[in-house]
Amino acid sequence: MTAHPWTIPEDVEAERLHEVERTGLLDTPAEERFDKITRMARRVLGVPAASLSLMDTDRQWFKSVQGIDLDEVPREKTVCRTTIARSYRRPDAPALIVPDAAADPEFSEIPGVGGPDGIRFYAGYPLYGPSGHPVGTFCIYDFEPRHFDADQVEAFVEMAEWAQREVERSDEIDRAARIQEQLLPRPISGLPGFEVATVCLPAYMVGGDFFDHYRVNDTLMIAVADVMGKGLGAAIVASAVRASVRGASRFLDRYRPAGSAVDTGEVATLAAEHLTQDFEHTGTYVTALLAAVDLPTGVVTYTDAGHGLAMIRRADGRVESLAGGGLPIGILPDTTWDSAQARLDPGDLLVICSDGLLDLLDQASARAPLREFIAPHACPSSLVEAVRSLVSGQPPLDDVTVVAVRRETR
C-alpha cells in the first residue's frame, strides 16, 4: 500500500485517544438517537450507506452504521483516518468528499474500496471530543461514483453538525450520570435490629427513578419514586421531587408530637404543594411510595401515591402486597394523600420497587410474578443481588429500583 499522505500528528495522538475515552461511547450498545441520524442521511442524501464511528488506537469502531454490515475495521484500512488527520491541517475545511475513491491513488488500495461491491463515493466529517480533538467521523458512502452539488454538501454538513451535537450530549449525560449516582444516599447503618439494601439501575445513563432513606430520631424514612419518562429530563424532575420530599418530612418533624408516628400522607401532600408549578410547567407526574418505619416497634406508616409496588415478605415466606391507593403526584392540583399502616415482625422483609422490575419479569401490571421473585429471598442483600443478576442478563427498558428493609430476628 502506498504511504498515507495524511497522518495524525504524533504529539497530539495520546490526547486524541484520551478524548475518545472521554466521550463514553466506545463499545456501548446502539442508540436510537445516533441510528436516527444515519437513517436520515441515507434518505435525505440518497446514499445506500452511512455511519457514525470512533477512531480508536488500532480500529475504527461503528457506533451506528446503516447499509454496510460492519462492527469495526482495522484503523489502517479506513478512509476515515484521513478525515481525522486532515482536520488538524485543514480546520477551515473539515469535510472530505471523494467522488471516486477507486480512481484516487490515495485511497484505491484500501481494502473495501473499488471492486464489484466496493465503496466508490465517500464523504466524511470529523466529530470532536470535549477538548476539540477529532474522535471519530460521520460518513456517507455509495458503491457508484457520484458528485455532490452545493446544496447536497450543505445538507451533509448540517447532518454532521447534528451528529456532533449528539456526541457532545453524550459527554454531558456522562457527567449527569456521575452526579446522579453521587446524589443517591450512602448505605445506611446503625439501625438497631434492621438491615437495609438498595439498588437503582437506570435503563439509560440517567434515569427518572430515585430512592432515599434517612433516619429521623427513631424513624427510618424511605422514599421510592418513578418520574414519568426517561433520561435527562426525568432525572432533573426526580432531583426536585427528592429534595421536596426530604424537605417536607424534616419540616413536619419539627411539629410532630413526641412519640407520635410520622404521617407520610402529610409529607406527600406538603411535597406536592412545593412541586405543583414544576409539574404544571413540565407536564409530568411522579408515582411514589413513602414509608416511615418505627424502629422500636416495626410499625410501618406508608403512603402510596399511584405507585402500588410495596410488599412484605413474612418470615415464613409468604409475600403480602401493601394496599395501594391515591393519585400520582402532579396529576391534579390540591390533591391530598392519606397514610396506612402495616407491621414488620422479626424476620419480615419490606420491599419497595419500581415498575422496571415488573417489565423484566414480563409483567406490566400483574403482581404474582413479583411476589414469586421476592419469596425466596429472606434478606435484603440476597434480593438486591438477584435484581442485579436479572438486569445483567436482560438490559432493562425502564429504570429498576429496589429498597429492601428487614427486621432482624431476636
Side-chain angles (χ1 to χ4, degrees):
M1 185 179 296
T2 58
H4 204 285
W6 295 94
T7 57
I8 298 173
E10 293 183 3
D11 60 333
V12 299
E13 176 62 355
E15 295 179 17
R16 193 197 68 79
L17 290 172
H18 180 62
E19 290 280 271
V20 173
E21 292 294 333
R22 283 187 63 190
T23 66
L25 292 172
L26 197 61
D27 294 320
T28 58
E31 294 182 58
E32 175 61 20
R33 62 195 179 100
F34 291 114
D35 290 341
K36 185 182 297 184
I37 301 172
T38 50
R39 283 199 307 268
M40 188 70 70
R42 294 176 69 190
R43 187 178 305 121
V44 170
L45 298 169
V47 293
S51 71
L52 189 153
S53 64
L54 298 175
M55 193 65 71
D56 199 7
T57 307
D58 55 6
R59 59 176 176 146
Q60 179 182 4
W61 176 81
F62 294 93
K63 175 65 175 176
S64 176
V65 60
Q66 308 282 336
I68 302 177
D69 187 17
L70 287 174
D71 293 320
E72 61 181 52
V73 293
R75 175 169 162 169
E76 69 274 9
K77 298 179 179 180
T78 68
V79 182
C80 290
R81 63 174 181 163
T82 301
T83 302
I84 290 178
R86 185 175 181 274
S87 69
Y88 283 105
R89 296 174 171 83
R90 292 291 306 278
D92 57 320
L96 172 63
I97 299 178
V98 184
D100 186 358
D104 190 323
E106 184 175 343
F107 307 110
S108 59
E109 296 183 32
I110 294 177
V113 171
D117 300 315
I119 292 170
R120 302 292 294 275
F121 170 81
Y122 168 91
Y125 201 97
L127 302 173
Y128 299 92
S131 298
H133 288 284
V135 295
T137 56
F138 169 69
C139 302
I140 56 174
Y141 317 88
D142 202 337
F143 307 115
E144 300 290 340
R146 65 185 297 169
H147 291 271
F148 266 9
D149 60 27
D151 289 341
Q152 290 172 310
V153 172
E154 183 179 359
F156 168 66
V157 171
E158 287 178 352
M159 301 204 76
E161 290 171 347
W162 177 11
Q164 177 64 48
R165 288 192 295 272
E166 290 300 327
V167 171
E168 291 171 356
R169 190 161 73 91
S170 296
D171 185 58
E172 293 172 359
I173 291 174
D174 183 59
R175 290 197 298 270
R178 291 196 299 270
I179 291 172
Q180 187 176 50
E181 183 178 5
Q182 291 164 357
L183 287 175
L184 289 174
R186 302 280 76 80
I188 192 167
S189 59
L191 301 176
F194 286 83
E195 178 188 355
V196 180
T198 61
V199 63
C200 186
L201 303 170
Y204 300 93
M205 292 188 71
V206 292
D209 277 12
F210 79 88
F211 75 88
D212 200 8
H213 54 49
Y214 50 95
R215 183 172 177 175
V216 179
N217 299 319
D218 285 335
T219 301
L220 172 63
M221 299 296 300
I222 303 168
V224 173
D226 183 358
V227 175
M228 180 189 71
K230 303 176 182 67
L232 192 55
I236 292 170
V237 175
S239 255
V241 174
R242 176 181 181 270
S244 294
V245 168
R246 182 174 281 215
S249 68
R250 293 195 180 279
F251 175 80
L252 291 172
D253 185 65
R254 297 177 187 174
Y255 305 99
R256 181 163 56 96
S260 64
V262 173
D263 188 334
T264 51
E266 287 187 355
V267 174
T269 300
L270 182 58
E273 290 176 2
H274 293 162
L275 292 163
T276 296
Q277 289 188 344
D278 292 340
F279 287 125
E280 288 178 351
H281 293 161
T282 59
T284 190
Y285 64 86
V286 60
T287 67
L289 194 297
L290 310 181
V293 182
D294 184 68
L295 299 176
T297 65
V299 171
V300 181
T301 304
Y302 69 94
T303 294
D304 191 327
H307 200 72
L309 290 171
M311 301 183 177
I312 294 179
R313 182 202 182 275
R314 299 298 179 184
D316 61 7
R318 291 177 298 113
V319 181
E320 304 170 357
S321 296
L322 297 186
L327 289 173
I329 300 172
I331 294 290
L332 292 175
D334 303 321
T335 300
T336 59
W337 286 267
D338 297 323
S339 59
Q341 286 192 337
R343 182 184 178 88
L344 289 179
D345 293 319
D348 289 349
L349 180 71
L350 171 66
V351 180
I352 307 170
C353 64
S354 65
D355 59 5
L357 184 54
L358 281 181
D359 293 339
L360 289 176
L361 299 172
D362 293 327
Q363 296 292 329
S365 58
R367 301 298 187 267
L370 181 57
R371 289 193 289 270
E372 293 172 3
F373 179 78
I374 292 172
H377 304 286
C379 68
S381 57
S382 171
L383 176 61
V384 164
E385 285 307 309
V387 172
R388 289 187 181 277
S389 296
L390 187 64
V391 170
S392 66
Q394 183 182 351
L397 298 175
D398 198 0
D399 307 327
V400 177
T401 299
V402 175
V403 174
V405 180
R406 181 176 184 264
R407 189 179 184 189
E408 298 173 351
T409 56
R410 292 191 179 87

